[in-house]
Amino acid sequence: MTELNIDCLNLIFKELRTDRVSLYPCLLVNKTWCSLIVPILWEKHSWCLYHETSEKKLFNIIISSLPSTSKQILTDNNINLPSTIISKPLTFNYISFCKFFESETIDKIIRKLFNDKKLKYNKRNLLEQEIYKLFVSECNNIKELELHTSRPLPSFPGALTFFSNINKLTIKIDCIEPNTLHEMAKFCIYLNELTVHNCSQDNSGLISLIDAQKNLKIVSLYPHNKKKICEGLREAIGRKGGTINNLCLYSINIIPLISLYSLERLLIYNFEYYGGNSIEMKKFLQYLEVSKFPNLQFLNVLGLVCHKELAMLIKNTEGNLLEISISSKRVKSVHVGIFIKSIADNCPKIKNLSFRITPEEFQLIKLILLNCRNLVKIKLDTLYYENDVIVGDELLDDLAKFSPKSLTKLTLSGNWKFSIEIFEKFLESCREHNLILFGITNKTHITEEHKTIARKYVSEGVINEFKILCP
């Protein structure tokens, strides 16, 4: 049989990179196959182990990879290495193949191989330090790094190479010394994505790291439970307005709006850390109302009552929005009306819509249906109490008359009630545009007659699926 050349084998094995079960037997074919497969297995997927025995084998190889100098340091400090480590030289420099690294791996190694409960604080720190040194010195092609340690990694041998290739960084800011981030900023300058956990106040090292980036595109900021506006961080992110196109805020204590003119995706989540009358909230809404994002395509807001401000933001997007998803426990009807009109007037390209309304706005949905002719998916949720009944005939009738042919998914969430006549009229209108999904939550007012009619249209292929969803 003609032997496949190495390039062909490489392509085949890389296609199988997520199929570990198929790759493992290939290791035993010959040395060539083994030398091609081992780097693939060690890139990232070898960390995703759920079997304790396999995990211990992995950790044992990592400890066996420690240089003799590190092993001697540990021995001199009465840190006993596991008896299972491999004393002979390893076949491969396994650590050098890693493209993904997370601090949690080192925590697991210490817990499982060294029983960290019996280690004194200074011994644990020394052990942790030597394992970090191993990765920093040997990993020449790390692409993704999850970091939560106080160890001064930038001062370790090999730090320049280790940090210079990273394009995705996740950090817990409260675990890392500002000076460490200042040092990282000298050579970790090509981040594409940055995620920061536990933001509670300005951090000079983090600001320095952000300022150093050449092409930062995706930023996600998660808060600590302290309520403090991070003005310095806001300004630093604002200075990257030419590159950041994806921003996710899990708190409003950081307000990097207004100047992000390249922004395409904006996600804002407010998990009840700030009340509607707080200084932080008022300031945030002021920023939101005057911000201009001409390239914004995706807008997702959770936990904020700010429809008036969002209406102004939508007006300033220059018609590029493709998806809007707004979820809030409370809405002000007068502001929802302004919000709906803003969508109808300024979102000709919109494809996906999801927001809450009250019955007073049902008639305004017609404006969206008439002006937004590229709609593919609509989800309308309503505010209701347990015993409220929402008569949806007017809304369903407008959907029957004015829905664009592109609309293929419709979900109505709430305590809805529809007359049989209007319900059937809507389904009949779907003959003009095949409906992939028609979902209704709360089955209280969906009778057997409603279900029989829906099944008829499913059997005829007018709609693919009718679902009564859990509220």
Side-chain angles (χ1 to χ4, degrees):
M1 186 180 91
T2 304
E3 186 175 321
L4 289 171
N5 65 43
I6 290 178
D7 290 336
C8 289
L9 287 171
N10 241 330
L11 289 172
I12 294 169
F13 295 148
K14 285 182 178 180
E15 286 297 314
L16 294 172
R17 69 174 64 239
T18 58
D19 186 2
R20 296 163 59 84
V21 176
S22 297
L23 279 177
Y24 277 130
C26 298
L27 287 167
L28 305 176
V29 173
N30 56 44
K31 288 184 179 180
T32 301
W33 284 41
C34 184
S35 64
L36 295 174
I37 294 170
V38 166
I40 293 172
L41 290 173
W42 274 79
E43 276 184 12
K44 178 175 181 179
H45 303 289
S46 50
W47 308 123
C48 306
L49 297 173
Y50 302 99
H51 192 279
E52 187 171 350
T53 302
S54 299
E55 191 172 61
K56 282 188 175 181
K57 288 181 179 178
L58 167 68
F59 295 164
N60 194 55
I61 290 176
I62 293 173
I63 295 301
S64 300
S65 300
L66 285 170
S68 57
T69 52
S70 291
K71 291 177 182 177
Q72 189 61 51
I73 289 173
L74 297 178
T75 301
D76 291 345
N77 285 273
N78 297 317
I79 300 175
N80 297 321
L81 298 174
S83 59
T84 54
I85 68 166
I86 303 168
S87 56
K88 295 180 180 180
L90 298 174
T91 308
F92 297 98
N93 183 357
Y94 297 97
I95 307 300
S96 68
F97 300 138
C98 298
K99 291 186 179 180
F100 170 83
F101 175 69
E102 56 183 18
S103 293
E104 185 182 352
T105 301
I106 292 180
D107 293 335
K108 283 183 178 180
I109 291 173
I110 296 174
R111 287 200 310 271
K112 296 199 173 184
L113 295 189
F114 292 88
N115 192 359
D116 68 337
K117 291 182 179 179
K118 294 184 178 180
L119 283 175
K120 291 183 179 180
Y121 180 76
N122 61 332
K123 289 186 177 182
R124 192 191 193 286
N125 284 348
L126 183 60
L127 177 57
E128 184 181 291
Q129 173 183 283
E130 294 308 308
I131 301 174
Y132 271 114
K133 281 184 178 179
L134 169 67
F135 279 92
V136 172
S137 64
E138 297 297 333
C139 294
N140 298 322
N141 201 23
I142 286 287
K143 302 297 182 185
E144 300 178 27
L145 174 64
E146 293 186 12
L147 192 61
H148 52 88
T149 180
S150 58
R151 304 294 127 225
L153 270 60
S155 66
F156 292 168
L160 172 61
T161 304
F162 180 82
F163 284 106
S164 62
N165 292 316
I166 295 171
N167 56 44
K168 182 178 180 180
L169 175 65
T170 300
I171 59 176
K172 289 185 178 179
I173 195 68
D174 53 339
C175 295
I176 304 174
E177 296 294 331
N179 189 57
T180 296
L181 295 175
H182 278 296
E183 291 300 313
M184 284 175 59
K186 294 178 181 178
F187 28 74
C188 184
I189 60 175
Y190 296 109
L191 293 179
N192 178 267
E193 182 173 350
L194 174 64
T195 300
V196 184
H197 291 273
N198 298 338
C199 295
S200 60
Q201 59 187 8
D202 281 328
N203 181 298
S204 61
L206 177 59
I207 292 170
S208 175
L209 181 65
I210 292 172
D211 280 335
Q213 299 313 307
K214 304 292 186 183
N215 195 32
L216 185 60
K217 294 184 179 297
I218 304 170
V219 177
S220 299
L221 303 171
Y222 294 78
H224 196 271
N225 57 7
K226 295 179 181 179
K227 302 178 181 180
K228 187 175 181 180
I229 297 295
C230 300
E231 292 287 358
L233 182 55
R234 174 185 68 80
E235 293 171 1
I237 293 176
R239 289 193 286 271
K240 296 299 172 184
T243 61
I244 293 177
N245 58 29
N246 188 328
L247 176 65
C248 183
L249 298 177
Y250 283 84
S251 174
I252 63 166
N253 68 326
I254 304 152
I255 316 174
L257 304 175
I258 300 181
S259 57
L260 300 179
Y261 49 88
S262 294
L263 201 64
E264 297 176 3
R265 186 183 295 266
L266 175 61
L267 294 90
I268 306 172
Y269 298 139
N270 176 43
F271 293 117
E272 308 301 332
Y273 293 117
Y274 300 88
N277 295 319
S278 68
I279 295 174
E280 294 88 356
M281 179 62 75
K282 289 179 179 178
K283 189 171 183 180
F284 177 80
L285 296 181
Q286 289 172 358
Y287 273 93
L288 195 65
E289 192 169 13
V290 298
S291 296
K292 293 186 178 182
F293 307 126
N295 297 302
L296 194 66
Q297 297 178 31
F298 302 91
L299 176 63
N300 190 320
V301 179
L302 174 65
L304 290 174
V305 183
C306 56
H307 289 77
K308 178 172 69 77
E309 292 79 11
L310 289 174
M312 289 300 298
L313 185 150
I314 290 169
K315 184 178 179 181
N316 293 326
T317 57
E318 298 187 7
N320 290 312
L321 272 165
L322 301 176
E323 179 177 316
I324 297 175
S325 178
I326 312 296
S327 179
S328 174
K329 294 180 180 179
R330 296 179 291 114
V331 296
K332 296 178 181 178
S333 182
V334 60
H335 292 164
V336 176
I338 296 171
F339 171 73
I340 292 174
K341 289 177 182 176
S342 185
I343 295 174
D345 292 341
N346 301 288
C347 302
K349 300 178 183 178
I350 196 79
K351 292 184 177 182
N352 297 333
L353 267 178
S354 176
F355 57 89
R356 288 179 179 267
I357 57 174
T358 66
E360 286 76 14
E361 288 87 47
F362 283 174
Q363 71 276 11
L364 295 177
I365 298 299
K366 176 181 175 181
L367 294 176
I368 290 179
L369 297 173
L370 289 173
N371 292 355
C372 306
R373 305 304 291 175
N374 294 306
L375 276 168
V376 175
K377 179 181 178 181
I378 295 178
K379 179 182 178 182
L380 297 176
D381 200 354
T382 61
L383 291 176
Y384 66 95
Y385 297 97
E386 186 175 351
N387 296 320
D388 285 347
V389 177
I390 301 164
V391 179
D393 282 3
E394 179 183 2
L395 175 63
L396 210 57
D397 189 42
D398 282 344
L399 285 164
K401 292 177 180 176
F402 306 112
S403 289
K405 292 183 178 180
S406 58
L407 185 65
T408 58
K409 295 181 180 179
L410 173 66
T411 301
L412 302 176
S413 180
N415 203 358
W416 297 94
K417 184 176 182 179
F418 304 105
S419 68
I420 294 297
E421 178 186 356
I422 296 297
F423 188 78
E424 186 167 14
K425 179 182 177 183
F426 168 73
L427 292 177
E428 183 62 30
S429 73
C430 294
R431 292 188 186 277
E432 298 180 12
H433 57 95
N434 177 251
L435 200 61
I436 295 174
L437 171 66
F438 181 30
I440 301 178
T441 60
N442 198 319
K443 62 183 179 181
T444 307
H445 304 290
I446 303 300
T447 66
E448 286 302 319
E449 190 171 0
H450 287 95
K451 295 177 186 177
T452 300
I453 293 170
R455 283 193 289 266
K456 169 194 168 187
Y457 284 91
V458 170
S459 66
E460 293 177 1
V462 177
I463 59 175
N464 290 11
E465 185 177 14
F466 174 70
K467 269 189 175 181
I468 296 176
L469 308 168
C470 294

